Amino acid sequence: MGGFAGLRAPRLAIAAFLAACWLSAAEVSKDVVEHVKCQVCELAMEHAVSHAEESKSKDEDSLADLVDGLCTIKKKEGKWTAHYDVVRRGSDGPLTLERQSNIGKCKSECLAIQRACASILKNKEETMVSVLMSGKGKSELKKKVCKKVCSKKPAPIKDWVDEPFWMRDPKEVEAEDRVEKMQAETGQKFKMWSRDEISSMSQADIELEAAKDALGAQRRESQLQREAEDKGPRVSHEL
């Protein structure tokens, strides 16, 4: 594991920089982040183990990729952050996370969950990969990563205003998952249009995008054919 930090440091630094950029674009309450940190940590560890078991991967790079994507909805490993609503029971009760039936639109509460997640995982990536490689499970991960953050009691939160949880269209989420799977399988980038984007496009725009997709598909097919020919049997000619 000694080479892990040096090998992945530039990549993790870039990810942290990008996360800071897009998180700063929205108003995220520091008090909310502190209040949900313990719950976020435990959920993140559970999802990390679930993804590791699902992928059946034990190699360092794959598990490091998993950890990298755990706090962002841009990756399948981090989509769980948009599944939870931050709620409060009573006027002075603690903030808690409630799982919803489907993914929601990522507003300030979702961003607070992601910021809490990113804060917790900072400098813990190598520890997480080590535990995941050992197969010791979520209890060991929580003990290694969450013990300290869960021992802290956050200060009472004041003037908290609940944000409505806006559910995303399940069909749109399903289509998004299919696109991501295709990108992973082919290495190609695909553009997914939302209903609002499509409704605002002219017929000429739609035909142009369709032509682009057709050209892209043709290029991918040609590339696959060339790769198949390169791997085909070679006949040697002896003089």
Side-chain angles (χ1 to χ4, degrees), residues 88-150:
R88 187 179 203 176
R89 301 304 178 198
S91 59
D92 58 353
L95 300 183
T96 58
L97 302 183
E98 284 190 355
R99 183 175 173 84
Q100 305 300 303
S101 59
N102 203 3
I103 289 177
K105 294 181 179 180
C106 200
K107 303 295 185 180
S108 64
E109 289 183 359
C110 168
L111 293 178
I113 292 172
Q114 291 179 76
R115 178 171 285 182
C117 180
S119 174
I120 292 159
L121 265 58
K122 186 178 181 181
N123 300 324
K124 295 287 187 181
E125 299 93 348
E126 188 173 351
T127 298
M128 288 188 64
V129 172
S130 178
V131 175
L132 290 171
M133 288 180 70
S134 72
K136 290 182 180 178
K138 58 187 178 183
S139 296
E140 182 68 12
L141 261 184
K142 290 178 182 180
K143 185 171 74 172
K144 292 281 190 181
V145 181
C146 304
K147 185 176 180 180
K148 184 176 180 180
V149 70
C150 288

Side-chain angles (χ1 to χ4, degrees), residues 21-50:
C21 289
W22 63 258
L23 281 173
S24 64
E27 291 187 14
V28 180
S29 168
K30 291 182 180 179
D31 291 337
V32 173
V33 172
E34 290 301 316
H35 265 257
V36 300
K37 264 187 179 180
C38 178
Q39 297 170 76
V40 168
C41 187
E42 293 184 340
L43 287 168
M45 299 307 106
E46 291 175 7
H47 283 281
V49 172
S50 295

